[in-house]
Amino acid sequence: MHRDYIKEHNPIRFNDLCLSGELWTYLADLNEQAQSRLELIIEPMKAAEGVTEDMKQHDQMAWVGAMNSIRNRAEEIILGEMIYDEDAI
């Protein structure tokens, strides 16, 4: 997603990364950072909303729904902070 974003919104940066051969390294590093940040966001959200392993054992559907909601919100945060943010470039 970020590759498409910089290609469209910052073509000079995109071309520099392509010509220097650093594009895939840059994107892999950004992906790694995004995954780490996602994990850091999900854990406090789970704690704040009371989503526990006990909940998982007793009401699996409620746990799945809560986890999906948390993950979706965390992914939206990551998209805004890292993928579609000009400062990430």
Side-chain angles (χ1 to χ4, degrees), residues 14-67:
F14 179 77
N15 286 336
D16 287 344
L17 287 168
C18 285
L19 294 174
S20 67
E22 297 174 4
L23 178 64
W24 298 114
T25 304
Y26 169 77
L27 292 174
D29 184 48
L30 184 65
N31 184 52
E32 213 172 283
Q33 291 174 23
Q35 289 296 327
S36 297
R37 179 84 172 109
L38 186 67
E39 292 170 14
L40 290 174
I41 293 172
I42 287 176
E43 289 307 316
M45 290 175 90
K46 282 174 45 178
E49 296 179 23
V51 178
T52 63
E53 290 297 315
D54 188 49
M55 180 184 184
K56 184 178 180 180
Q57 291 176 351
H58 290 89
D59 192 356
Q60 291 179 356
M61 292 305 291
W63 182 84
V64 168
M67 284 302 298

Side-chain angles (χ1 to χ4, degrees), residues 2-3 5 9 11 13 17 29 33 41-42 44 47 50-51 55-56 59 72-74 76-78 84 89:
H2 188 66
R3 182 184 67 84
Y5 179 78
H9 291 89
R13 174 74 172 145
L17 287 168
D29 184 48
Q33 291 174 23
I41 293 172
I42 287 176
V51 178
M55 180 184 184
K56 184 178 180 180
D59 192 356
N72 288 338
R73 286 181 283 146
E76 286 297 318
I77 292 168
I78 298 298
Y84 298 123
I89 295 175

